[in-house]
C-alpha cells in the first residue's frame, strides 16, 4: 500500500476516507478483472504454479547454492538440491496441469 498511497494525491494520503477510497478502488479493479475473465482461476493457477514457485522456492535454493555452495555442510547442500529438484518437478507438474485445464476450457468454448 505504501507504493500506491505514495503515488496518490496528498488529499487521499492524509485522510482516512481518502485511504479507504483508494483501497476500495484497488479491490474493485481486481474484482472486475477477475469477473471479466471466465477462467480466471485457471489463469491464476498457471501464474501460481510457474511464477510463484520460481520466486518462492527455486530461486532462493539456486542462489543459496550459487553463493554459499562451497561453504555449505553436506547436509545443507543436499537439502538445497532436494528442494530445488522437487520444486522444479512440482512447478512443471502444476504448469502442465494448468495449461491442460486452460486448453480443456478453450475446447469447451469457455475462453
Amino acid at each position: 500500500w505504501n507504493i500506491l498511497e505514495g503515488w496518490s494525491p496528498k488529499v487521499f494520503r492524509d485522510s482516512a476516507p481518502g485511504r479507504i477510497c483508494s483501497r476500495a478502488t484497488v479491490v474493485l479493479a481486481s474484482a472486475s478483472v477477475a469477473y471479466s475473465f471466465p477462467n480466471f482461476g485457471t489463469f491464476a493457477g498457471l501464474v501460481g504454479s510457474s511464477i510463484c514457485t520460481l520466486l518462492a522456492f527455486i530461486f532462493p535454493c539456486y542462489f543459496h547454492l550459487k553463493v554459499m555452495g562451497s561453504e555449505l555442510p553436506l547436509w545443507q547442500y543436499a537439502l538445497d538440491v532436494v528442494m530445488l529438484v522437487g520444486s522444479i518437478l512440482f512447478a512443471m507438474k502444476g504448469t502442465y496441469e494448468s495449461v491442460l485445464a486452460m486448453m480443456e476450457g478453450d475446447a469447451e468454448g469457455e475462453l
Side-chain angles (χ1 to χ4, degrees):
W1 288 112
N2 290 338
I3 293 173
L4 176 68
E5 290 176 352
W7 288 347
S8 63
K10 191 169 174 53
V11 174
F12 290 115
R13 282 185 298 213
D14 293 342
S15 67
R19 285 193 305 271
I20 290 171
C21 286
S22 66
R23 292 177 182 189
T25 302
V26 170
V27 170
L28 289 175
S30 300
S32 64
V33 167
Y35 183 72
S36 64
F37 292 107
N39 287 339
F40 186 74
T42 310
F43 177 71
L46 175 66
V47 171
S49 64
S50 56
I51 304 300
C52 293
T53 304
L54 274 171
L55 292 174
F57 299 107
I58 296 172
F59 284 161
C61 289
Y62 174 75
F63 292 138
H64 189 243
L65 284 172
K66 198 71 167 163
V67 173
M68 303 291 293
S70 61
E71 301 172 14
L72 292 175
L74 181 61
W75 68 270
Q76 201 169 13
Y77 188 86
L79 181 64
D80 277 347
V81 169
V82 167
M83 287 181 61
L84 186 63
V85 170
S87 300
I88 289 172
L89 292 175
F90 281 118
M92 289 171 54
K93 169 105 171 97
T95 302
Y96 174 75
E97 294 291 331
S98 295
V99 168
L100 206 63
M102 289 177 89
M103 290 172 54
E104 287 175 0
D106 190 29
E108 296 172 2
E110 293 178 1
L111 284 178

